[in-house]
Amino acid sequence: MPSIRDLKKDVNFVLGDIIEAVYIWEAGSGNKESEEGTVIIDEAIEVYDNLMDKINQKKVEDTKAHFRSIRTELEDKAVKLVERLNSLEA
């Protein structure tokens, strides 16, 4: 079973990469601090906070299933954020 530390790193890297991609899009399109980009960044931060809260829960019945569900939620939310990022116009 992967460690909790690895799961935290995955959450940090995935959501950090999405935020970085928004900044790159804004720089490339000339839309500095765009409203659309800000919404995606805010949502990524909210997802990060929620997932970290779930990871740090102490009293969980089935830890393996709990962490598997967190990983699945991370994948689902990340895909949705990337789709929104890809739909932004240049």
Side-chain angles (χ1 to χ4, degrees):
M1 181 172 124
S3 71
I4 295 172
R5 183 180 341 145
D6 289 341
L7 182 57
K8 286 181 178 181
K9 284 181 181 180
D10 289 346
V11 169
N12 192 29
F13 289 144
V14 168
L15 296 173
D17 285 347
I18 291 171
I19 291 171
E20 184 178 352
V22 171
Y23 287 136
I24 291 170
W25 172 80
E26 286 180 339
S29 67
N31 294 331
K32 299 256 188 235
E33 298 182 21
S34 67
E35 185 177 329
E36 303 93 351
T38 303
V39 169
I40 293 173
I41 290 171
D42 289 345
E43 191 172 327
I45 292 169
E46 183 179 326
V47 168
Y48 175 85
D49 290 341
N50 290 336
L51 291 177
M52 284 301 178
D53 287 343
K54 289 180 181 182
I55 290 170
N56 292 323
Q57 285 180 347
K58 297 295 180 193
K59 298 185 182 197
V60 178
E61 279 186 35
D62 185 4
T63 56
K64 210 173 199 183
H66 176 69
F67 290 125
R68 194 175 314 124
S69 71
I70 292 171
R71 187 169 296 281
T72 303
E73 184 177 348
L74 170 63
E75 291 172 7
D76 293 341
K77 302 273 183 169
V79 166
K80 288 178 184 175
L81 288 170
V82 169
E83 287 172 351
R84 287 182 56 198
L85 176 61
N86 289 337
S87 71
L88 296 177
E89 295 181 15

